[in-house]
Amino acid sequence: MKEILLRQKQVLFFIIAGGLSAIVEIGSFKMFSTSLPHFFARETNFYGVHYPLSNIFSTSCGIITNYFLSIWFVFERGKHSKKKEFVYFMVVSFFSTLLSLAFFQIFYSFIFKDNINLFFYTLSPEMVSKIAAILLVSILNYSVKKKVIFNG
């Protein structure tokens, strides 16, 4: 088991960094999705798009957290300069954000309609949709970031 973990250290660190980034993203989504509707009434449904600002702001928080965790703990420096690496990371993250927003809308509009009771906490359809979108997009993110940005 220890040998498997050592060989898969990068994947393990990516999962840990992704988990920490997801906690930041989900926590900030909860904060934004409960506070922003008080200031922007259309936040809950902006022409059929649910929680657009909450999603964008929380995803940005998660991306920034993930960038720093990735360069500190997950990936080794690639052949790109720090500036290019950051730009590539942000471009990939931008497209990941669009994909995450699309998945969130699909999940929230069609799949997750009811609260999920975990006995100690109840997850709203918004939160379950956000978590599911993060999980799907993170698989793609690892592959692209490893192969394109950090030349793994």
Side-chain angles (χ1 to χ4, degrees):
M1 178 71 173
K2 188 175 181 179
E3 290 175 17
I4 293 171
L5 287 177
L6 289 175
R7 280 188 275 147
Q8 299 302 324
K9 184 175 106 176
Q10 188 178 53
V11 173
L12 180 64
F13 283 164
F14 181 81
I15 291 168
I16 292 168
L20 292 172
S21 300
I23 289 169
V24 168
E25 186 171 343
I26 292 165
S28 59
F29 178 77
K30 179 69 174 173
M31 182 186 70
F32 290 130
S33 67
T34 56
S35 61
L36 285 179
H38 297 295
F39 301 103
F40 305 105
R42 306 252 329 161
E43 171 67 359
T44 57
N45 189 350
F46 184 73
Y47 299 104
V49 177
H50 305 286
Y51 301 98
L53 294 175
S54 298
N55 261 306
I56 291 168
F57 293 156
S58 65
T59 301
S60 297
C61 291
I63 288 168
I64 291 166
T65 302
N66 188 262
Y67 175 74
F68 287 109
L69 291 174
S70 291
I71 61 172
W72 290 335
F73 301 111
V74 180
F75 299 110
E76 294 179 16
R77 303 280 319 164
K79 66 180 178 184
H80 308 295
S81 68
K82 286 183 181 181
K83 186 177 180 178
K84 248 187 190 177
E85 190 177 86
F86 181 76
V87 169
Y88 290 161
F89 193 96
M90 289 301 138
V91 168
V92 168
S93 296
F94 173 76
F95 287 109
S96 296
T97 300
L98 294 178
L99 191 59
S100 180
L101 292 173
F103 281 134
F104 174 84
Q105 295 307 315
I106 292 166
F107 292 146
Y108 185 74
S109 297
F110 303 110
I111 298 173
F112 300 114
K113 297 289 188 182
D114 299 316
N115 290 334
I116 296 177
N117 187 353
L118 301 175
F119 300 111
F120 57 90
Y121 187 76
T122 300
L123 292 171
S124 65
E126 302 91 32
M127 294 304 292
V128 176
S129 299
K130 184 68 172 174
I131 292 166
I134 289 170
L135 289 173
L136 279 175
V137 172
S138 67
I139 296 166
L140 174 68
N141 270 340
Y142 176 76
S143 301
V144 172
K145 288 174 183 172
K146 180 178 172 81
K147 299 292 182 197
V148 176
I149 299 171
F150 297 105
N151 303 318

